[in-house]
């Protein structure tokens, strides 16, 4: 098939108009070099190359010793090996990332590519090459890797600590039970009171550790996205929460929920936390209605809302309640660890979505989860 | 002595669980287990091991009494619960105990539960702490499976 006429025309322009090449060089390259392999001490370097390292091009001669002086010695070895291999076999690319030393002492990353120009016998007689400076990309890459490593270390630490705390807390819980079982008959009322306070505190600590384990276990979890029926999840959860619902005088209005592509266990945790949260903050003096609704928007996002008629939250706390360990009530008033909504936000973040709250104190709250469905 | 034995109910009174082994490296927990086990009135004798290695040495003995159930902790130093399971089933097959119950430290170890379920000798899981009801479950399992009739020696 013949080339497009514009391609033919462009090729002609490129070979006849020097301005074309100079445009390509300025627009896309940070350095150009041309090396005479028959006189290897002759290598022309473009002035832009030297400026990358804060060097005045006028102070440099066109001799490869000049750049070999400021390149990282290990990277030079790799470049020379690639050079030998490329000269012997055109199929072996001359292409590597190398580090140069800037005059200010910092490291400049450069991608260096080249191709040999050969004589009739196939011997490499010249080498033409280009540079692209990629220090910024490299730094982002390294920062990202360091962050990942720090995150995973933090997760492992939190998991190990909560796991190790679990065992002595269990032991103390069992000791208190044994004390009650064996010595209960001999204890005074005051003794019983103290023992039950100790039991409650240990119980809270067990819940806290469980939640902490749950929270840390979903950080950096490998995300397997599958189709999840939110309807089935919600129905299952409501069944499990039956006792809590009637104790808190709550009626549920479950509207049809869409199917989402998501991590199933995390969706279960999300709905479960939002539901128990709504139940927990229901009002004691009247019947409470909790509505669960969902819809798919035109731009392929799923919105799920959980609306309650509970005690509500002031606007100053809309953002704050999603922060880890933030609680608005003392444990004697309403039980909680300050991890539930932080877990919800973490799950939604894992799915690239968002969670928001609107609320009127005394009227109720509405949590809205938005999940993008681009994975489909 | 590498383990402790406590006799609560003589065999001629037919306790629901004649011979129970508990493997857990925590000494205080073992003491509490013992009290719970004694109070349950379900257990003839209990053998308590502070390490999986010692439990394995005991199971290798040809002159030992048959074991009805083993309560096994997962997190133990040197040989953990999984290594114990692998070594015991490798060496002794599945018949070294009538049932094995894995004690999980947290209710959030689905990975651990999945791993333990690969051993056919594991019949139950319980989440710590041990309570009377767990012993009742073990007694019921043993009663359900008593017809197989290996329960003659003592």
């Amino acid at each position: 098939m013949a080339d497009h006429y514009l391609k033919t025309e462009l090729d002609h322009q490129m070979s006849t108009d020097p301005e074309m090449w100079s445009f390509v060089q300025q627009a896309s390259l940070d350095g150009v070099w041309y090396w005479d392999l028959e006189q290897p001490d002759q290598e022309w370097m473009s002035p832009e190359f030297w400026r990358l390292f804060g060097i005045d091009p006028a102070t440099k001669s066109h001799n490869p010793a000049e750049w070999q002086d400021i390149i990282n010695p290990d990277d030079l070895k790799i470049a020379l090996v690639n050079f030998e291999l490329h000269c012997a076999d055109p199929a072996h690319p001359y292409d590597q990332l190398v580090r140069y030393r800037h005059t200010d002492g910092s490291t400049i990353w450069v991608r260096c590519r080249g191709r040999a120009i050969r004589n009739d016998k196939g011997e490499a007689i010249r080498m033409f090459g280009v540079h692209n400076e990629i220090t910024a990309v490299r730094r982002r890459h390294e920062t990202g890797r360091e962050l990942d490593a720090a995150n995973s270390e933090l997760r492992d630490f939190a998991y190990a600590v909560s796991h190790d705390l679990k065992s002595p807390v269990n032991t103390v819980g069992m000791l208190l039970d044994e004390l009650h079982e064996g010595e209960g008959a001999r204890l005074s009322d005051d003794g019983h009171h103290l023992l039950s306070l100790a039991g409650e505190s240990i119980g809270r600590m067990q819940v806290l550790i469980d939640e902490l384990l749950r929270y840390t276990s979903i950080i950096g979890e490998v995300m397997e996205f599958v189709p999840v029926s939110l309807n089935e999840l919600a129905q299952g959860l409501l069944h499990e929460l039956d006792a809590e619902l009637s104790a808190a005088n709550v009626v549920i209005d479950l509207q049809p929920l869409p199917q989402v592509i998501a991590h199933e266990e995390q969706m279960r945790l999300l709905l479960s936390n939002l539901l128990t949260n709504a139940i927990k903050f229901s009002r004691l003096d009247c019947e409470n209605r909790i509505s669960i609704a969902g819809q798919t928007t035109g731009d392929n996002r799923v919105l799920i809302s959980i609306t309650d008629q509970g005690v509500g939250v002031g606007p100053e706390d809309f953002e704050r309640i999603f922060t880890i360990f933030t609680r608005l009530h003392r444990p004697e008033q309403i039980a909680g660890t300050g991890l539930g909504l932080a877990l919800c936000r973490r799950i939604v973040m894992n799915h690239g979505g968002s969670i928001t709250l609107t609320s009127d104190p005394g009227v109720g709250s509405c949590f809205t989860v938005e999940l993008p469905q681009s994975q489909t | 002595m590498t383990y402790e034995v406590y006799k609560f109910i003589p065999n001629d009174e037919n306790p629901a669980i004649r011979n129970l082994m508990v493997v857990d490296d925590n000494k205080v927990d073992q003491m509490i287990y013992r009290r719970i086990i004694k109070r349950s009135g379900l257990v003839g004798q209990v053998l308590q091991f502070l390490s999986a290695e010692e439990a394995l040495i005991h199971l290798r003995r040809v002159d030992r009494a048959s074991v009805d159930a083993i309560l096994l902790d997962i997190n133990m130093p040197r040989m953990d619960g999984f290594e114990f399971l692998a070594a015991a089933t490798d060496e002794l097959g599945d018949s070294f105990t009538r049932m094995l119950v894995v004690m999980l430290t947290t209710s959030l170890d689905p990975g651990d539960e999945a791993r333990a379920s690969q051993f056919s000798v594991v019949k139950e899981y319980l989440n710590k702490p041990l309570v009377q009801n767990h012993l009742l479950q073990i007694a019921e399992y043993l009663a359900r499976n008593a017809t197989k009739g290996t329960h003659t020696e003592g």
Side-chain angles (χ1 to χ4, degrees), chain A residues 159 163 166-168 170-172 174-175 177-179 181-183 206 209-211 213-214, chain B residues 26 28-29 31-33 35-36 39 75 104-109 112 128-132:
Chain A
Y159 195 82
H163 207 274
K166 183 100 188 164
S167 162
N170 268 337
T171 303
V172 172
M174 287 197 294
L175 283 169
D177 286 346
E178 281 303 299
L179 191 59
E181 194 70 42
E183 305 292 312
Q206 274 164 335
I209 294 170
D210 277 350
E211 299 255 293
L213 276 167
R214 203 170 277 139
Chain B
N26 187 318
V28 181
D29 284 7
M31 184 268 283
I32 304 165
Y33 297 153
R35 294 167 66 113
I36 293 171
R39 211 165 47 241
N75 292 312
L104 297 171
T105 327
T106 74
S107 55
L108 307 158
D109 289 339
D112 281 357
K128 287 183 173 185
L130 178 73
V131 292
Q132 297 285 352

Side-chain angles (χ1 to χ4, degrees), chain A residues 53-129:
Chain A
F53 318 119
I55 294 169
D56 177 1
T59 64
K60 291 292 173 185
S61 64
H62 291 283
N63 183 323
E66 296 275 36
W67 61 263
Q68 289 179 356
D69 199 34
I70 58 165
I71 193 173
N72 177 296
D74 293 334
D75 296 348
L76 175 62
K77 279 183 208 146
I78 294 169
L80 290 177
V81 169
N82 280 336
F83 170 72
E84 294 293 340
L85 291 170
H86 176 71
C87 287
D89 175 9
H92 182 94
Y94 182 79
D95 183 355
Q96 59 268 313
L97 289 183
V98 295
R99 285 162 289 183
Y100 281 95
R101 202 174 55 244
H102 194 279
T103 49
D104 67 10
S106 67
T107 298
I108 303 294
W109 285 87
V110 175
R111 181 174 180 184
C112 178
R113 284 172 282 188
R115 67 188 299 266
I117 294 160
R118 293 162 200 276
N119 61 17
D120 296 343
K121 291 183 222 152
E123 293 160 349
I125 51 165
R126 299 280 189 275
M127 188 86 170
F128 170 58

Side-chain angles (χ1 to χ4, degrees), chain A residues 309-325:
Chain A
Q309 298 173 327
V311 295
V313 177
E316 67 279 8
D317 292 321
F318 282 7
E319 185 48 40
R320 216 161 72 88
I321 59 167
F322 293 107
T323 315
I324 189 163
F325 292 126

Side-chain angles (χ1 to χ4, degrees), chain B residues 13 35 44 54 91 114 122 130 135:
Chain B
E13 286 178 28
R35 294 167 66 113
E54 286 165 346
E91 255 185 68
V122 175
L130 178 73
L135 296 170

Side-chain angles (χ1 to χ4, degrees), chain B:
Chain B
M1 180 108 93
T2 57
Y3 59 93
E4 292 184 24
V5 189
Y6 295 86
K7 292 183 193 292
F8 301 126
I9 305 169
N11 271 347
D12 51 17
E13 286 178 28
N14 268 324
I17 308 166
R18 283 196 184 203
N19 197 15
L20 176 68
M21 273 174 70
V22 185
V23 189
D24 191 318
D25 63 308
N26 187 318
K27 247 184 151 157
V28 181
D29 284 7
Q30 284 278 24
M31 184 268 283
I32 304 165
Y33 297 153
R34 191 159 64 241
R35 294 167 66 113
I36 293 171
I37 288 164
K38 182 184 178 190
R39 211 165 47 241
S40 75
L42 294 168
V43 180
Q45 73 168 9
V46 62
L47 275 59
Q48 298 191 284
F49 298 83
L50 287 171
S51 82
E53 289 101 324
E54 286 165 346
L56 195 57
I57 290 168
H58 175 76
L59 287 173
R60 283 193 195 114
R61 286 174 49 169
V62 286
D63 60 336
R64 67 172 169 84
S66 74
V67 179
D68 287 315
I70 300 175
L71 296 180
L72 178 66
D73 184 29
I74 290 294
N75 292 312
M76 289 182 283
R78 295 195 306 282
M79 180 184 271
D80 70 13
F82 291 120
E83 289 164 339
F84 169 82
L85 273 172
T89 46
D90 238 34
E91 255 185 68
L92 309 162
D94 272 2
S95 59
F96 60 89
T97 176
R98 290 179 64 204
M99 82 178 293
L100 196 142
V101 180
V102 170
M103 298 191 287
L104 297 171
T105 327
T106 74
S107 55
L108 307 158
D109 289 339
D112 281 357
E113 196 172 317
R115 221 175 134 190
S117 69
Q118 290 170 358
F119 296 90
S120 57
V121 69
V122 175
K123 308 293 186 202
E124 291 274 355
Y125 312 89
L126 63 90
N127 284 315
K128 287 183 173 185
L130 178 73
V131 292
Q132 297 285 352
N133 203 36
H134 291 137
L135 296 170
L136 210 58
Q137 280 173 30
I138 293 170
E140 279 166 3
Y141 174 89
L142 292 172
R144 271 202 311 278
N145 296 277
T147 42
K148 282 158 197 161
T150 48
H151 206 240
T152 46
E153 80 272 50

Side-chain angles (χ1 to χ4, degrees), chain A residues 248-249 279 281-288 309-311 362-363:
Chain A
N249 198 9
I279 297 168
F281 291 96
S282 56
R283 286 154 53 136
L284 301 170
D285 52 347
C286 58
E287 190 185 86
N288 295 264
Q309 298 173 327
V311 295
V363 178

